[in-house]
Amino acid sequence: MDQPPPASPGPGPAADCPLVGVVAMYLPRLSEFSFDPGLVAAVDQHAADVRDALVPRQRRGARGTGTGAREVGAESADVRREDLADYALGFTDWLTETEWTEPVGYDFATLRLTAICWLVREHDLLGR
């Protein structure tokens, strides 16, 4: 892949959201979780890092002290579509600027994009 995926066209409030393109390209990677526990751990850490970047510590409260993906799911009100969309847009813009190409397997970027998909799925950010 030469460039990060663009947002998919179409009707609806989420159609112009940058998360749509990311999800279209990387959500299928979540199916690999059942075959690779190491992948689960890596995506879990990336999801926690993204959550920590998006949700101020005071909004996370006492539940936000760990880094696990289960905890991210427990805080569904804390991750907002607009915030994650802005993060994804900035990240994919950076990938374009650096002329990143998708490798076979996983690197930092594919793990981060897969974690974004995990957050979208767990928080139903495109369904609202």
Side-chain angles (χ1 to χ4, degrees):
M1 179 169 105
D2 293 329
Q3 293 184 359
S8 299
D16 61 347
C17 179
L19 295 174
V20 173
V22 172
V23 166
M25 292 295 297
Y26 294 93
L27 188 67
R29 289 181 177 251
L30 296 180
S31 67
E32 297 173 31
F33 277 13
S34 59
F35 304 109
D36 189 350
L39 175 61
V40 175
V43 171
D44 177 65
Q45 185 61 55
H46 278 267
D49 290 346
V50 171
R51 191 257 350 256
D52 289 348
L54 297 178
V55 181
R57 185 171 297 279
Q58 62 271 25
R59 273 186 36 213
R60 287 196 307 261
R63 291 183 303 180
T65 57
T67 60
R70 284 189 187 92
E71 184 173 297
V72 173
E75 300 174 5
S76 62
D78 289 344
V79 177
R80 297 186 298 228
R81 181 172 79 187
E82 297 79 17
D83 296 338
L84 190 58
D86 287 346
Y87 181 91
L89 182 60
F91 188 70
T92 56
D93 283 350
W94 175 76
L95 291 176
T96 299
E97 289 172 12
T98 60
E99 298 180 4
W100 174 78
T101 56
E102 185 175 349
V104 174
Y106 288 87
D107 65 354
F108 177 89
T110 55
L111 289 169
R112 188 57 53 113
L113 292 165
T114 304
I116 289 170
C117 292
W118 188 90
L119 290 166
V120 168
R121 185 190 71 187
E122 291 302 303
H123 300 293
D124 191 26
L125 297 179
L126 293 179
R128 308 185 219 177

